[in-house]
Each structure stands twice: as C-alpha cells, then as structure tokens.
Amino acid sequence: MMTAPASPLQIRDDRDGPCSEQDFARIHEFIGQSYWAAGIPADTLRRALDHSLCYRGYVDGELVAFARAVTDQATFAYLADVFVLPAHRGRGHARALVGALMDDARVQGLRRWHLVTRDMQRLYAGLGFEALSQPERHMQRHDPDVYRRGG
C-alpha cells in the first residue's frame, strides 16, 4: 500500500495580513513553552510579532511552522522564534520557511544576520550561517528570568 505524499508547505508572511487569533494562540503556546522564551506573556509576544517580519508555514490550512526576523531592513536582522510543530518535522519545512524569510526583498543587502540556537547549527549552516568569527567582540545583556518575574 502506497502512502500519499505529504501536502506541501504553504508560506505566508506579514504582508498577507496578521495571523489569526487561532494561529497566534498556537504560536504563543509553542514559544511560551520553548527553551528560549518559556513563560513569555501573550501581550509581550504580540508586541514582538508586530515589530518583526513574520513568516508562517501551513499544511492543509493548519499552521505548522513559524519564523521571524527582528530587523531595521537596512543593515541587520536577528532570526528568532523558528519552530516546526513536532508532527511536521523532518520534511524541510524549517529550511523552506527560513529560506523564504531570508529571500524577502525587505532584508536584501543586509550586512549581518544573527541568531542564537541550542541545537540547530546544522540547519542554519546550510543557510549560510557560521559560528561567530570574533566572538570576543560580541556582547549581550541577557535576563533569562524576565518573563517569570513579570517584568
């Protein structure tokens, strides 16, 4: 018995309009439980999305993937909040979604893209990312417990 091929990923971005409340709830549920933004309040995430370039991936009309870029659209972009729902992983959806975001005309000619990942270095290397060449020049101010403290 042959298995039908998986439905293709359909990509939409913020120019297609904001995501529905149902899609926002799914995005918040995933990101709010992620290792990088556990406990993020919905209103904080909504502000973040409102000020970012957001890409959403759908299979059969259901949101299954998300990515965003925080950018000035001239010199710099920070790739953030990339995820694919577990049941849809291993099909190239993350690569397709991030690739589409990076191909967006609004972020062409940037001098630098940046991201932070715990475990997806191989995926991002395939998209042209590499380890920091001069990590001693990069600094951060990081407050990993800000959402748990409520401020």
Side-chain angles (χ1 to χ4, degrees):
M1 182 172 166
M2 292 189 61
T3 304
S7 295
L9 185 72
Q10 296 172 350
I11 298 173
R12 298 184 195 141
D13 67 49
D14 53 341
R15 293 170 294 188
D16 298 319
C19 64
S20 68
E21 288 302 315
Q22 178 181 348
D23 289 348
F24 177 78
R26 178 166 275 182
I27 293 165
H28 180 248
E29 178 182 13
F30 189 93
I31 293 174
Q33 295 175 20
S34 68
Y35 73 84
W36 66 86
I40 188 170
D43 62 326
T44 300
L45 181 60
R46 188 171 300 278
R47 279 195 330 270
L49 302 189
D50 286 347
H51 296 283
S52 300
L53 304 184
C54 298
Y55 272 65
R56 305 178 307 272
Y58 296 85
V59 172
D60 297 329
E62 176 187 0
L63 183 128
V64 301
F66 179 80
R68 72 184 178 102
V70 181
T71 180
D72 61 9
Q73 299 184 31
T75 65
F76 177 83
Y78 178 79
L79 182 62
D81 295 334
V82 178
F83 72 83
V84 175
L85 295 179
H88 296 272
R89 291 181 183 159
R91 299 177 190 165
H93 294 336
R95 179 179 300 280
L97 192 64
V98 172
L101 191 161
M102 293 180 72
D103 286 343
D104 188 309
R106 297 173 289 179
V107 291
Q108 296 310 297
L110 301 182
R111 183 165 184 243
R112 184 181 314 270
W113 280 84
H114 189 77
L115 67 85
V116 176
T117 184
R118 179 173 71 185
D119 54 3
M120 297 303 294
Q121 285 80 359
R122 186 172 171 197
L123 167 74
Y124 296 116
L127 292 165
F129 286 87
E130 56 190 36
L132 295 173
S133 59
Q134 298 172 314
E136 69 280 3
R137 292 186 179 189
H138 293 258
M139 298 180 70
Q140 69 176 359
R141 182 173 167 187
H142 185 225
D143 186 350
D145 297 322
V146 67
Y147 305 137
R148 288 191 249 299
R149 286 196 317 274

